[in-house]
Amino acid sequence: MNQATAKESKSRDIATLLHPYTNLKLHQTEGPMVITEGDGVFVRDEDGKSYIEALAGLWCVSLGFSERRLAEAAYRQMLKLPYYHTFASKAHDVGIELAEKLLSIAPVPMSKVFFVNSGSEANDTVVKLVWYYNNAIGRPQKKKILSRMKGYHGVTVASASLTGLPNNHRDFDLPIANILHVDCPHWYRFGKPGESEEAFATRMAESLEQRILSEGPDTVAAMIAEPVMGAGGAIFPPATYWDKIQPVLKKYDVMLIADEVICGFGRTGNMWGTTTYGMKPHMITCAKALSSGYLPIAAVMISEEIYAAMVKESEKIGVFAHGFTYSGHPVTSAVALETLKIYEEIDILSHVRKVTPRFQAGLHSFQDHPLVGEFRGIGLIGAVELVADKSTKAPFDPKAGIGGYLAKRGHHHGIIVRAMGDVIAFCPPLIIKEDEIDLMFERFGRALDDTLAKVREA
Ligand SMILES: Cc1ncc(COP(=O)(O)O)c(C=O)c1O
């Protein structure tokens, strides 16, 4: 695209588009980065510059940006049945097949699948199901849902309430009632001096138990958690964390909900993050890599116990009055089915396991860098946390915008990374090859060195 056209699209964007997760004031002068094409793990902007997409878009494009089979699956389904719904006992063949497929690969026995269009809708649905279920079984007071500080569960009214990040609440008048936030299990940040990972996990479980007791166990219904906390800063549970948290939940009959929106479908080296960490959830939400991000689809899987109670409640009321026009849309379902088929055919899990050592070694290579406080990762997800002082772990003043500066320098060097404050996350397409992993970290390293130069200059 020539420069005049690029300039024009920038001003058209500023005139018309409201951007999510953007400093709207800054955007009025800086404008957008306009991406026009994708190929494998790369995307290209309107000036023709190529970037390696180190976050797979928004943690979602597992099969990269040019999987023709997904486009063809959508096209075939568009011609056959472009729309139908699942309200009032209607169904379509692809929706049924996708539900069967998901149940067959679920990490723990699950009974039914409810389709939605986004991770936020999935988690919003979960909140309603927790309440519906407890009303159904005669526990109308057991309604509180625990989530973790720095957890990310979406942006709708209920799911943003679950999200444990201040900016998602501030001036949106959130969180709503009955959502409580408990400790963030980030050992590097919140572990006490000299405290082992295991001791920290014990403290997390004790603190959870205290919170349940102080709230009253008969009022606490569920806890929602990502196996790996994504948007809160790619945070991994400390050793023994789930072994200690789950017995506490069980003791007080608090249901566990696994938010697999990022971890699901191979990200951590197993099909589910739940499996990687030995979690035994009663409900699971998934999205993103379910369709490799090609079309919006997400799902909630529920256990037989929850389903059985819902059946009774809907019989009493006359209907289960929840659902979206596009719940289980046939075209998105067809693309999701094709995505799962491709995962099997190319054995995506073996591929992820094969390239994981290279990815983890890449992260590791930054451990001595003066700006890097912690590097962390599992499977093909990881992060580097930038600090002002390595020995004290002192962070930079958020106003300095160090992470944002690094992301900008990344653009210059041909890599798109996500800066969550001063945490830089990596979550590349699962199909990434070893030489592309090397290239990704080489480009990141250049951006990191530029950032160090800027810090030293300041
Ligand atoms: C773990 C997790 N849950 C839920 C969501 C919300 O998904 P969506 O943006 O599709 O609403 C996200 C989005 O990044 C996520 O990472």
Side-chain angles (χ1 to χ4, degrees), residues 232-344:
I235 297 166
F236 301 84
T240 70
Y241 176 78
W242 284 111
D243 299 342
K244 291 168 180 163
I245 291 288
Q246 290 184 106
V248 174
L249 299 178
K250 201 162 179 196
K251 185 169 170 189
Y252 299 105
D253 198 10
V254 174
M255 152 194 325
L256 176 62
I257 299 153
D259 179 340
E260 289 269 10
V261 167
I262 285 180
C263 294
F265 311 104
R267 178 58 61 187
T268 63
N270 290 302
M271 189 52 88
W272 305 95
T274 298
T275 308
T276 300
Y277 293 110
M279 297 163 71
K280 298 268 177 295
H282 303 81
M283 289 197 228
I284 295 170
T285 56
C286 60
K288 297 193 189 274
L290 171 55
S291 64
S292 185
Y294 277 44
L295 283 177
I297 182 165
V300 181
M301 289 190 264
I302 60 171
S303 67
E304 176 59 27
E305 188 188 348
I306 294 166
Y307 171 68
M310 289 172 62
V311 169
K312 276 200 186 142
E313 191 70 0
S314 81
E315 187 184 20
K316 184 180 88 190
I317 298 170
V319 63
F320 168 54
H322 179 69
F324 301 91
T325 300
Y326 304 116
S327 281
H329 189 288
V331 180
T332 58
S333 298
V335 169
L337 259 179
E338 190 71 7
T339 304
L340 300 184
K341 222 177 262 175
I342 295 172
Y343 290 156
E344 272 179 15

Side-chain angles (χ1 to χ4, degrees), residues 114-266:
F114 186 81
F115 289 113
V116 294
N117 309 290
S118 68
S120 298
E121 282 180 14
N123 290 326
D124 221 274
T125 294
V126 150
V127 170
K128 290 177 75 177
L129 296 190
V130 167
W131 293 342
Y132 198 74
Y133 167 75
N134 278 292
N135 286 328
I137 62 168
R139 302 194 303 199
Q141 78 291 359
K142 201 167 170 78
K143 293 288 166 56
K144 292 175 188 164
I145 303 178
L146 306 171
S147 178
R148 297 176 300 175
M149 253 107 67
K150 297 204 179 198
Y152 189 82
H153 302 291
V155 294
T156 55
V157 170
S159 67
S161 296
L162 294 172
T163 291
L165 298 168
N167 290 345
N168 290 92
H169 298 163
R170 190 174 166 187
D171 292 345
F172 288 115
D173 293 7
L174 296 174
I176 54 171
N178 282 330
I179 309 278
L180 313 170
H181 292 97
V182 297
D183 299 318
C184 169
H186 189 189
W187 180 52
Y188 172 76
R189 269 282 152 232
F190 304 115
K192 291 181 179 162
E195 188 177 39
S196 72
E197 223 173 310
E198 289 79 1
F200 174 65
T202 303
R203 183 156 64 79
M204 293 291 97
E206 286 169 359
S207 166
L208 176 72
E209 180 159 20
Q210 280 317 309
R211 185 66 184 271
I212 293 172
L213 288 171
S214 71
E215 293 291 334
D218 57 341
T219 69
V220 182
M223 175 173 178
I224 185 165
E226 304 153 83
V228 172
M229 301 170 81
I235 297 166
F236 301 84
T240 70
Y241 176 78
W242 284 111
D243 299 342
K244 291 168 180 163
I245 291 288
Q246 290 184 106
V248 174
L249 299 178
K250 201 162 179 196
K251 185 169 170 189
Y252 299 105
D253 198 10
V254 174
M255 152 194 325
L256 176 62
I257 299 153
D259 179 340
E260 289 269 10
V261 167
I262 285 180
C263 294
F265 311 104

Side-chain angles (χ1 to χ4, degrees), residues 399-413:
K399 288 201 196 92
I402 297 299
Y405 179 81
L406 189 151
K408 280 251 162 64
R409 291 310 299 164
H411 293 172
H412 178 77
H413 293 297

